[in-house]
Amino acid sequence: EVQLVESGGGLVQPGGSLRLSCAASGFTFSSYWMHWVRQAPGKGLVWVSRINSDGSSTSYADSVKGRFTISRDNAKNTLYLQMNSLRAEDTAVYYCARGGAARTPYDYWGQGTLVTVSS
Amino acid sequence: DIVMTQSPDSLAVSLGERATINCKSSQSVLYSSNNKNYLAWYQQKPGQPPKLLIYWASTRESGVPDRFSGSGSGTDFTLTISSLQAEDVAVYYCQQYYSTPLFTFGPGTKVDIK
């Protein structure tokens, strides 16, 4: 059974940092592109970042470029999102999601982890 | 960036009746080389992550009930729930995966029971 389990969310002050993790199981993690998608409270879904299967290619939404870094450890079957210089508008549930190759939808999602940026 | 819009914002349908949700993209998501529409539909129930329902505009994901169907091509798409069940109460999102890497979502349509 495919499972994606996020962790690392919490309350952080503006300007602070957090590192999210997404532990994958039930599939060959190293074969799949992975994504982070966020959802502010009561709002819609917004793509944040993606990484290809071997970690050699990454992309970011303009709103997080230069502040967030996506990475993966295929030996540990884990996806990461390092979030620096956090702002109030980064407050959201962050989901990791599995994609296939470059142009495929997200067929599995984690349960999400809540990040709250507030003083 | 491709902008996705959905209509209506919300709808209430009686149990057993049809629900129809529309999605429009600001540019075509039909890839001419393979004649595929890079359009997906997701269902999100309260407190849960989104679930993939339909991809390539009309292909149901494994395990999705056949009362869910997708149609359309180019820039205009429709998700139809042929006979609404209580468990279908959710927000439904369309997503284009044509323009990489920014796979934009529509704003969502909330479906309730009348």
Side-chain angles (χ1 to χ4, degrees):
Chain A
E1 179 194 5
V2 172
Q3 282 198 315
L4 298 170
V5 180
E6 300 95 336
S7 61
L11 175 64
V12 61
Q13 291 187 338
S17 299
L18 275 179
R19 188 198 199 200
L20 306 184
S21 299
C22 171
S25 61
F27 66 101
T28 305
F29 181 68
S30 59
S31 296
Y32 289 83
W33 294 44
M34 296 296 295
H35 302 255
W36 288 100
V37 176
R38 69 185 181 185
Q39 186 170 36
K43 302 296 186 182
L45 302 166
V46 177
W47 172 80
V48 172
S49 182
R50 67 97 166 136
I51 188 167
N52 70 344
S53 55
D54 67 6
S56 62
S57 175
T58 60
S59 296
Y60 300 91
D62 287 345
S63 59
V64 307
K65 203 171 294 183
R67 300 187 297 123
F68 289 12
T69 302
I70 190 172
S71 62
R72 65 192 297 161
D73 186 335
N74 285 345
K76 294 183 177 179
N77 292 338
T78 303
L79 173 73
Y80 302 101
L81 186 67
Q82 177 67 44
M83 304 187 296
N84 299 330
S85 303
L86 282 161
R87 307 167 180 167
E89 55 265 34
D90 296 318
T91 294
V93 173
Y94 284 73
Y95 296 103
C96 63
R98 189 181 85 165
R103 283 173 160 182
T104 54
Y106 310 145
D107 59 353
Y108 286 93
W109 298 63
Q111 288 295 315
T113 186
L114 176 62
V115 172
T116 303
V117 184
S118 175
S119 54
Chain B
D1 298 348
I2 298 179
V3 177
M4 308 298 291
T5 56
Q6 290 182 231
S7 63
D9 295 335
S10 64
L11 74 162
V13 176
S14 300
L15 289 173
E17 296 301 305
R18 178 185 300 260
T20 301
I21 301 168
N22 300 301
C23 172
K24 191 175 184 71
S25 57
S26 61
Q27 61 191 78
S28 176
V29 297
L30 174 63
Y31 194 39
S32 56
S33 66
N34 59 10
N35 202 37
K36 286 183 180 287
N37 287 284
Y38 286 61
L39 190 285
W41 290 96
Y42 298 86
Q43 174 194 64
Q44 187 177 31
K45 297 181 179 180
Q48 295 186 19
K51 172 189 173 183
L52 178 64
L53 291 180
I54 286 173
Y55 55 98
W56 302 132
S58 61
T59 301
R60 266 190 306 276
E61 176 74 332
S62 175
V64 173
D66 60 7
R67 63 180 180 272
F68 291 92
S69 64
S71 63
S73 184
T75 61
D76 293 277
F77 301 91
T78 300
L79 175 69
T80 301
I81 310 172
S82 61
S83 175
L84 191 75
Q85 305 300 303
E87 61 265 32
D88 301 335
V89 169
V91 178
Y92 293 83
Y93 295 92
C94 61
Q95 179 204 35
Q96 65 80 19
Y97 50 100
Y98 179 92
S99 177
T100 184
L102 181 48
F103 295 166
T104 41
F105 294 90
T109 295
K110 186 177 182 181
V111 174
D112 271 319
I113 304 294
K114 186 186 292 183

